[in-house]
Amino acid sequence: MHITDSIVYIGVNDHDIDLFEGQYDVDGISYNSYVILDEKTAVFDTADQRMTGAWISNLTNALEGRTPDYIVISHMEPDHSASLDAFFHNFPDTKAVGNAKTFQMADQFFPGLIPEGQRITVKENEELSLGSHTLVFCMAPMVHWPEVMVTYEKAEQVLFSADAFGRFGALPEQKGKPDILAEYKDGSWDAEARRYYLNIVGKYGAQAQGLLKKASALEIKRILPLHGPALSGDLSHYINCYQLWSSYTAEKQGVLIAFAGVYGHTAAAADALAEKLREKGVEVLVLDLARTDPAEALAQAFVYDRLVAAATTYDAGIYPTMEEFLIHLKGKAYQNRRVGIIENGTWAPMSGKLMKAYFEGMKNIELLEPMVTIKSALNEESEAALSSLADALSK
Ligand SMILES: Cc1cc2nc3c(=O)[nH]c(=O)nc-3n(C[C@H](O)[C@H](O)[C@H](O)COP(=O)(O)O)c2cc1C
Ligand SMILES: [Fe+2]
Ligand SMILES: [Fe+2]
C-alpha cells in the first residue's frame, strides 16, 4: 500500500497473537514496515517471526524486482527484527543501517548474519541519501530499548518513529491488507495508544521527553510508527498525549479507586468511598483489579491525578492482584500523584502497611491520611475514617 508516491507500507497485521510481549492482552497488533523507492531503495525494519512469510511477500511485491540497497534497523526487539534472517536469506547483499548498539544486539540475536562489510554504522544526525530522499538518523535510546533510533526523511518530512507513537490493535483492513492510513476519528486512537505507551515505554518518560524535544525542532508532516496507524494532519493531539504521558502528568482530575478483595467487603468500602466522593462532585472510577485487564488498570492510574488502593490482607501479605498492580505501577515509574490507602483484615490487617511501603518507594507520591483500616466489614469507626479520607481526597 502506497503512503506517498515513494513510500510503501509493507507491514502486517497479526490477528492471532494472544499476548503481546508475553503479557499484554491485545486485539491483534500490526508490525509496521516501510520501503522508500528512490534511486536507492531503503527498507525500514522487518516483522515478528509469526508473520515473516506475509512480510517477505509484501516486501517482494513492493520492490517490483529491485533489490533493496539498505535495511534500516530502528529497533532490535524481535517484534521488528525477527525476520532479519529471512531478509538476508532473500537479499544477501543489502547493507544494514544501524548504530553501534544495533549491531551488538544483531550479533547476539543472529550470530554471523550481517557481514562486517555490509554494516553502515550511523551516529546522531548522520545522513544517508537515497536520491531525492535524505534520511537523517536520530538516536532515541530507551524509547524503548537502548539501541532505538528514529529516522527523519527530509524531502517528504516524514518521521519513522520506531515504537514511539505506536498503538496496540491490528489495523483496519482493506481487501485483506492492513490500512496504515486508516483514520482514528474522535479520539479513538487514544485509549490503545495510551495503554501501549504506558505499559511498553512508560518507565522511560525522560527519554521519551528527549525524543519529543528533538522532534519539535523538525518540520513533521507524517509520523510512521512501528505499530498502529500512520499519523498525519494536525499532529498536535498526538504530541500533546505524549507530552502528558511522558511527563507523568494526569489527564483528568479525579480519583481511581482500585480494589482487591475476596468476599466483597473491600469492594463495598471502595463503593462507599466512591459514593462519598461523588457527593462532593469528584469524578471517580472504581476498578476491581481481579476483573480488569492489568495493563488497562495501570493506564487508568496514570489518567487520574489521585489513586486509592484498597486491598484485603492475604496470608499476612497484600492480596495478589493488588500486589501485582503495585509492582507494575512501580515498574512504570508511577509518580506525581496523591494516594489513599484502605486495608482490610480479619485477624491481623497488614496490607495497608505493605502497600504504603510500595508507594514510599515511588517518586513524589503524597500519601493521604488517614489510612483506613477495616476489620472484616465496614463499621461506624471505619465509615468515619472513609469520610475523612474522602475529605482529604477532595481537598
Ligand atoms: C486465603 C485467605 C488468607 C487470608 N489471610 C489473612 C491474613 O493473613 N490476615 C488477616 O487479617 N486476614 C486474612 N484473611 C481475611 C481477609 O482479610 C478477609 O477476606 C477480609 O478481611 C474480608 O474482606 P473481603 O470481603 O474484601 O475479602 C485471609 C483470607 C483468605 C481467604
Ligand atoms: Fe519495542
Ligand atoms: Fe514494538
Side-chain angles (χ1 to χ4, degrees):
M1 173 182 205
H2 275 263
I3 294 172
T4 67
D5 284 346
S6 344
I7 304 179
V8 187
Y9 179 68
I10 58 165
V12 286
N13 267 340
D14 182 350
H15 292 289
D16 299 328
I17 191 166
D18 59 342
L19 294 172
F20 181 71
E21 278 191 9
Q23 62 170 320
Y24 301 108
D25 192 11
V26 291
D27 187 11
I29 188 95
S30 69
Y31 311 114
N32 295 344
S33 172
Y34 309 91
V35 180
I36 301 181
L37 301 167
D38 197 333
E39 286 162 35
K40 304 270 190 186
T41 53
V43 179
F44 284 81
D45 300 290
T46 77
D48 193 274
Q49 55 158 358
R50 301 164 51 81
M51 302 303 292
T52 300
W55 175 73
I56 286 281
S57 153
N58 289 352
L59 170 63
T60 313
N61 288 338
L63 288 168
E64 293 178 337
R66 297 177 69 178
T67 297
D69 295 282
Y70 305 109
I71 177 146
V72 178
I73 306 171
S74 308
H75 188 9
M76 270 306 300
E77 192 170 10
D79 56 333
H80 309 293
S81 74
S83 304
L84 276 174
D85 56 350
F87 178 87
F88 281 102
H89 179 78
N90 283 270
F91 304 107
D93 301 322
T94 296
K95 292 200 164 71
V97 181
N99 55 62
K101 289 196 183 98
T102 317
F103 291 118
Q104 198 184 326
M105 289 187 186
D107 288 339
Q108 291 171 194
F109 280 108
F110 302 107
L113 181 69
I114 308 174
E116 282 294 336
Q118 282 169 238
R119 300 178 182 202
I120 300 178
T121 306
V122 296
K123 293 200 178 87
E124 182 75 7
N125 281 328
E126 267 186 50
E127 298 191 357
L128 178 68
S129 172
L130 304 177
S132 64
H133 293 79
T134 306
L135 309 180
V136 187
F137 303 102
C138 171
M139 303 303 133
M142 297 324 294
V143 188
H144 152 231
W145 278 18
E147 84 298 1
V148 171
M149 61 182 198
V150 303
T151 302
Y152 180 66
E153 197 293 303
K154 284 177 165 177
E156 303 204 54
Q157 302 183 321
V158 167
L159 182 69
F160 294 89
S161 64
D163 274 341
F165 298 97
R167 186 182 184 277
F168 284 144
L171 288 167
E173 295 187 357
Q174 283 195 7
K175 296 183 188 138
K177 289 279 184 193
D179 179 9
I180 184 80
L181 298 177
E183 276 189 65
Y184 285 69
K185 291 200 179 108
D186 306 321
S188 59
W189 177 80
D190 301 12
E192 284 296 86
R194 176 194 297 114
R195 199 169 68 97
Y196 173 84
Y197 172 82
L198 291 169
N199 285 280
I200 302 295
V201 189
K203 179 177 165 84
Y204 302 106
Q207 290 83 349
Q209 289 265 300
L211 176 59
L212 290 176
K213 198 162 171 225
K214 287 184 188 179
S216 69
L218 301 168
E219 200 65 52
I220 298 172
K221 281 217 180 94
R222 197 187 297 276
I223 297 176
L224 298 179
L226 287 177
H227 304 282
L231 305 175
S232 60
D234 179 9
L235 297 175
S236 63
H237 172 73
Y238 310 109
I239 306 270
N240 285 342
C241 286
Y242 261 65
Q243 284 292 2
L244 291 175
W245 300 336
S246 62
S247 63
Y248 306 98
T249 306
E251 290 174 67
K252 275 189 188 175
Q253 302 261 310
V255 180
L256 170 67
I257 304 176
F259 75 86
V262 189
Y263 293 109
H265 301 85
T266 309
D271 286 337
L273 178 65
E275 202 43 50
K276 290 176 197 294
L277 288 168
R278 287 185 185 120
E279 278 167 14
K280 294 173 188 291
V282 178
E283 180 176 338
V284 186
L285 175 66
V286 180
L287 292 181
D288 175 354
L289 292 176
R291 292 174 178 81
T292 306
D293 165 41
E296 178 60 16
L298 178 119
Q300 290 303 325
F302 282 87
V303 166
Y304 289 96
D305 66 341
R306 284 154 281 172
L307 169 68
V308 173
T312 182
T313 304
Y314 187 84
D315 293 342
I318 307 171
Y319 194 73
T321 47
M322 175 60 78
E323 182 137 38
E324 193 197 346
F325 178 63
L326 297 175
I327 288 169
H328 285 289
L329 284 185
K330 185 155 197 301
K332 302 305 167 184
Y334 182 75
Q335 54 186 271
N336 304 339
R337 301 293 195 278
R338 294 199 290 148
V339 172
I341 291 175
I342 301 173
E343 66 171 350
N344 195 344
T346 292
W347 58 94
M350 273 293 290
S351 49
K353 188 179 156 204
L354 296 169
M355 287 191 280
K356 191 168 170 228
Y358 271 97
F359 288 113
E360 282 167 350
M362 299 175 196
K363 207 171 127 188
N364 193 22
I365 297 293
E366 185 191 340
L367 282 166
L368 299 173
E369 296 289 342
M371 181 168 95
V372 178
T373 299
I374 298 162
K375 287 212 138 176
S376 304
L378 277 174
N379 60 14
E380 220 169 280
E381 199 184 332
S382 48
E383 275 276 3
L386 265 192
S387 297
S388 303
L389 179 59
D391 289 341
L393 282 162
S394 56
K395 263 194 205 117

